[in-house]
Each structure stands twice: as structure tokens, then as C-alpha cells.
Amino acid sequence: MSLFRSEDMALCQLFLQSEAAYSCVSELGELGLLQFRDLNPDVNAFQRKFVNEVRRCDEMERKLRYLEKEIRKDGIPMLDTGENPEAPQPREMIDLEATFEKLENELREVNQNAEALKRNYLELTELKHILRKTQVFFDEQEGGSSATESMTRALIPDDSIARQAAGPVQLGFVAGVILRERIPPFERMLWRACRGNVFLRQAEIETPLEDPATSDQVHKSVFIIFFQGDQLKSRVKKICEGFRATLYPCPEAPSDRREMAMGVMTRIEDLNTVLNQTQDHRHRVLAAAAKNITNWFIKVRKIKAIYHTLNLFNLDVTQKCLIAECWVPTEDLEQIQLALRRGTERSGSSVPPILNRMDTLENPPTYNKTNKFTSGFQHLVDAYGVASYREANPAPYTIITFPFLFAVMFGDLGHGILMASFAAYLVIKERTLGAKKIQSDVWNIFFGGRYIILLMGLFSMYTGMMYNDVFSKSLNIFGSNWRNNYDESTLMNSKALQLDPNSTAYFKYPYPFGLDPIWQVAENKIIFLNSYKMKISIIFGVFHMLFGVLLSLWNHVYFRDRLAIMCEFIPQIIFMCFLFLYMVLLMFIKWVNYSADTIDVKAGPYCAPSILITFINMVLFKSSKNPDVCDDWMYAGQGFLQKLLVVIALLCVPVMLLAKPIMIMRARKQHQPLMNAGHTNNAAENGDAGYQLDDSMQQVQPVPAHHDEEEDITEIFIHQGIHTIEYVLGSVSHTASYLRLWALSLAHAQLSEVLWNMVLRNGLTWTDWTGGIVLWAIFGFWAMLTVSILVLMEGLSAFLHTLRLHWVEFQSKFYHGLGYSFTPFSFKTILDQAATNAEE
């Protein structure tokens, strides 16, 4: 029964001893069947009892995220065994905090040491390259005996050298390393600031260097700058500092440079050894943490969820007991009691918890139990609006009607096979694919609706066989009921010939299954299919809406709303049946009574009345006056019966409009209870009904609510008038809306035929050996267009139209959707949401 209506819910009060509260809530979180209410809505989040514990959990989560980041940086796989450890006891929090604190401090210390070692290693590496490159610079100069002699010639004119021959020229230089991309502006700035009185040489370092702060690979260059005088020296150093160049000491004597280079190489080798040991130690620490970090996350998130939930509770006067209020499914009360008992035993408490059911006037939450098959269809319904409490659930019927109406628009055996094959793959591999947790919205939509897609594909295969349509071609399994009775000369000399169904050309018995394949090659195929598909669209639509009206009766009976049955359901069903169901019956009468050999008294053979014209004349109380057209009447007494049906249907409109408000008004004047005990939807809309727990029946029964002010009678009349107008006009517009079944089916078939004739057919016209290659290429193009346009785009279009038919045309007859979802306290839901947020 819970499949067709939401679960019976009860508002319960829970009394927990303070020592046992943590363990009991932990067990309830594993069970996931209670929705707790906040009993402290006016208390700030920072002033609640367990705010310190929540902060401790936040701090532990921060440390775990830091560990996770470092583990991912090193590429170490995190072990996920699929275990679901229980929430640790409060005393174990201290051990977890100490463990995480130790790991974080150790890792930060290792990282700081590693960063310092890498910085020293970078400096020594840069100094090594400076010593090598500057040696090359000096060796390239003339003679190579003096380090500054040629630089002096470059910076000072010859006549100045002659005048200063008596005293030596003081020429200095600095060497350093700079990022490669900063060399051009660095060189321009030196030239402009020093007015060309410096000499710059630079060479690229071939191997990229690692930045110790970010671990990124950077490209740098070595430079050496020659200048004269202290003023230029100061200016050059400031420019180097501005461009964040690193300056290193570089001896002028070749012997000193060689000695320094040897010392640098020795220190680099020692640093390499220390760095490797540091990295090994860091890797060991992270590898050990990676084995347990998944379970640690689960434990910490469970602890945090428990304390968040405990913050919703109230403390009694003695401060020894916690009081909670929660919505629970009455069917699961026994499981909840067992869970509370386990929690009490775990905590070692001697005082058992108390779970009391409460009376309430609040609307309970809506809880529909689902599985992996029904959840997709339930989500389609809930997207329109969550069902009011204990309202009839459309999801079970949607499992059949949704893929069927989709298939009426998408009917093609080939396209249905493609869709069903894709969905079958998702269903067969659902465990493997679900474990991958692919973070793609489009993929998650397809994977979440895999059972919907599977049924849509299977139903499309069925309707495709009924239409005898496979990629716009037919399957000639049973042959054809039509035979050619023309001679060869007539066939060869005539572009188009007509087969008379009233002759030997037609066998005059129904085709075994679906449509006769001859219609795929007939020129009047669209005319025939239009008539056929338009009629079945109206037939399916009327029966679909009638089923919705009948479900409203089920709601009224369940809620004992006799007033709604007499004043709403009965006139609604009469109005629908006497007009639109009668039109459907006329279609069947026409199909049964009229055939190719039917002879009309007025118009002769091949004549049958139009259903559309007959229905219009029926509503307008008129008949055809033209003696040359077909007879209007399909059976004796049809004219009188049709007028009677229209009159009765029109009389139902004022009943729907006025009966219920008048009876409410009379009952108020006489101070008598109404015939209805209340209705979920009326309670939500009008505020005239609530709910009371009946222990003997163990379900929530509607009872009148007591409000200070009743709804004004004028508002009741307006409200009823809106619903009456919506139903009467909607019956006409909704019936016409089902013609989208015919329109989209025709468009799908025509697009398929266009793709075949305009694309694939061209590849079948080649007769020589090259035709195979051409056909291969054209088939690939045709297959791509078929999947992208006919399966994906047309499939999405048909899906959206089917969704509209269910939300508007079907559910509006009985479904109000004014409830709110049952959101239980569940560790599984919390952990799944946390995992999704972490991966995003």
C-alpha cells in the first residue's frame, strides 16, 4: 500500500538520558528513519549546548582535508575498502584529535624542512650554474688572462685608457640569476638607468629549476653585469632587487672559482642525500595516513552529525535528560525501538529511552519508499511538487503511462533498439559505473534515469512494430493484405495507381500485427496515418484523464470527503464521459460499422460521417443540411441522445460551481459538521482540516482543525469558481493537448524518412566497387545524424512533451502536490552529500 500512498507518519516525543543520548542518536543515524524537529529555533547556533564539540569536529575535518590534499599531491592512492565504521564514542574523540594533531604537526615540520632544504638546494644549483657560465664568459674574452681587461675596453674609450695609463681602472661586476621572461625588460632598464655604462652578458640555464614554495618548474637565466664606480654598483643592485633577481658572490680569480665550484658540488651531493631521506619519511607518513583517512573522514562526519542533531534537542529542568520531537513512519516504530535499545546498551545506561506518540494538527511530511527502479519515476513526480500527506501517489502509474506515451511519439523499432541498448548497458554495469562516481551532470541524469530510458526504449520498440516503422522502412513479416490486380502494361505506363479496397485487391481481414507494410510505399501514407494517429491520440488522452479523475475519487474516499464526492467528482466524471468519452465511442462505432463496402443512402459508397464535424454539431445542437454529404447519424436515436448528453453535461457546470460553497454556507448557519471529515489538500489550501493520531487504527486520521477565524464564504465561492473554470476549460484544452502525440509521431517519422532519402539512399545508388567505400562513409554520417538528431534531440523533445502531459493533463485531475519531503537524519545521506561536495 505504501507504493500507492505515502507512509503513515507519527509525531513522537523522545526522552533520552544525557549519558545515552549520543549512542542512541548514533544508532538512529545508522537507521535513517527519523526526522528531528528543531526545538530551539530562537537560540543562536553559537549558544547551543554542543557547539564546542561541533567546533572540535570542524577542526578535525580541517586537519583531515590538509592530509588529504598532501596525499593527493604525492599521488598516493587512498584506500577505500567500502567499510562503514560506527561513530566513535565521545571519549574516543580525544584520541582522534591527538592522532590528527600529531600527523599535522609532523607533516608540517617535514614540509618546512623540505622547503628549507629545497631552497638551499636551489641556491646552490643556481650558484653552480653561475660559476660555470661566468667561467665561459671570461674564457671567451681576448687572452683570458685578465678577467676585466676586455670588459674595460668595452666600457671605456681607448683615449680614456691612454690618459689613465698611470693608474689602474677599477671595474667591478655582479652575477646572479633571474627568471627568463624578465630578461628583456631587465636589460632595457639597465641600459636606460645606467645610460649605457654597463656591460650585460646572460645565458640560459637549460634545465628547469623547481620552485621550493610552489614546486613548479621555472626557467631561469644567468647574468653578469660589469660596471665602473660605486654609484653604478648601487644602481645595478637596486635594479636587480626590483626585478627579483638573486645575486651570488663570484670570485674574479679562476682558481677561486674552481675551488668554490668544487665546494658547491660537495654540498649539493650532501643536500641530495638529505632531501631524499626527507621525501622518503614524508611519503611513509602520508602512506600510513592514506590507509585510514577514508574511515577517519566517516567517523568525524558522523560525530559532527550527531552533535548537530543533539543541538536540536531540549534539556529538561533537571539537566539530566534530553527531549526531542521527531516524525517517524509508524510502520518502522519497532525498528526504532530496537535501535534505541542498542544505543542504551552501548552507553551502559540503566535508564531506557522513552518514545511517546503525540497528537498534532500539523501536516506530517510525505515519505514514499522507493528502490533503484521506482526512484527515477518518483523524482519525476516530485519535480512537479511533493505529494500532500497520504495523497494518491502518481508514481506507480507513471511507470507504465510515461514510457507508453513517450513511445507513441517516438515509435520506431530501430531507434527504440538504440535507446534500449544504451539503457541496458547502464543497468547491467550499474555497480561498476556507480562506483566510479563520475562528476558530470549530463552523465548523472542519464545514469539516474537508466530504468526510465530502458522502458522508453522497450515501449518504443513495441509502438515501432505497431507502426511497422524501422528507420522509416517497414518489416514485411506477414506479407500484405493487398494484391496487385493490374496487368503489366498498365503498371509500366502509369505513374500512380489506386488499389480499390472494395475489390479483390484487398483481402478484407485485419492485418495480424501493426500496420500493413504496403502503407510505407503508398503516396497517401500521411493522410492515412494522420487519421489513424489523431484518433488514437484522443483515445489515449481521454482514458488518461478519466483515470486521473477516478484517482480523485480514491482520494475523496480515503479522506472520507463525501461532500467532494457529490459536489466535485460526480459532476466532473459526468461532464467528461458525456462529452469526451462519447466522442471516443463514436470513433469505435465508426471503425466497426463503416468499411469500404458501406453504402450511404444519400451519398453512395465510400462515405462515413466525420467525427470532428459530428462532435461540433453535437455541442452546437445542429445537423448537416446538405443532402449530398454523408448521413450524420451512425445509429438510431443518435440526435436525441447527443442533445440529452450535452444538456446533462452543461448542467454539471453550475453543480461544480455552486453546490459545495452553498452546502458549506448552510452548514455554518446551522452550526452542523460538514459531510466531509477533511482533506489533505483542503487543509493545505483552506486551513479547514488537520490530523490526529488514532492509536487503535495506527494511522493518521483527518479531523477538523480549530482556527480562530473561518475562511470567508466569498473566498470559498471564488476558489470554487476558479477550480470549476479550470476543469471545464481544461477538459477541452487538455483533450486537444493530447494531439501532440500525433504531431510528434508524424514529425519523428518524417525526419527519419528525410534522413534515409537524403543521406543513406545516396550511398545505395553506387554499383561499382567504390560503392562499398562510399556507403561506409555515408552510413557513418547517417548514423551520426540518426543518433544526435532522431534519438537524442527528438527523444528529449518527446520526453518533455510526455512530462507535460503527466504534470498538467493527468496530475491536475487529482494531484495537489502541496506537501513537503520527509528528510530523515541518515548517516548514509550525509556521507554521500559530503563525498559529492568533496569531489566537486
Side-chain angles (χ1 to χ4, degrees), residues 414-435:
H415 300 155
I417 290 174
L418 293 177
M419 183 174 290
S421 300
F422 172 69
Y425 169 76
L426 296 182
V427 171
I428 294 171
K429 299 287 187 180
E430 62 182 10
R431 289 189 177 180
T432 306
L433 297 174

Side-chain angles (χ1 to χ4, degrees), residues 50 65 146 226 312 326 335 351 360 406 452 464 559 640 650 660 716 782:
F50 300 100
R65 285 195 298 270
S146 175
F226 293 89
L312 304 178
C326 53
Q335 293 186 54
V351 181
T360 180
F406 171 87
I452 302 177
F559 292 108
F640 173 76
L650 293 177
K660 187 175 180 179
I716 296 177
W782 171 81

Side-chain angles (χ1 to χ4, degrees), residues 222-285:
V222 171
F223 66 87
I224 184 169
I225 305 171
F226 293 89
F227 50 83
Q228 182 182 14
D230 293 337
Q231 186 176 1
L232 281 180
K233 179 179 180 180
S234 175
R235 194 174 299 176
V236 166
K237 285 187 175 181
K238 287 182 180 179
I239 294 173
C240 292
E241 182 181 351
F243 279 86
R244 296 184 181 178
T246 308
L247 299 180
Y248 291 95
C250 181
E252 185 174 348
S255 59
D256 294 339
R257 286 198 297 271
R258 283 194 295 271
E259 184 179 351
M260 180 178 284
M262 292 175 63
V264 167
M265 293 301 297
T266 303
R267 291 175 61 190
I268 287 177
E269 291 177 0
D270 296 340
L271 267 179
N272 264 327
T273 304
V274 178
L275 266 175
N276 290 335
Q277 293 175 352
T278 304
Q279 290 296 338
D280 289 343
H281 177 64
R282 181 177 186 273
H283 187 83
R284 285 194 299 270
V285 172

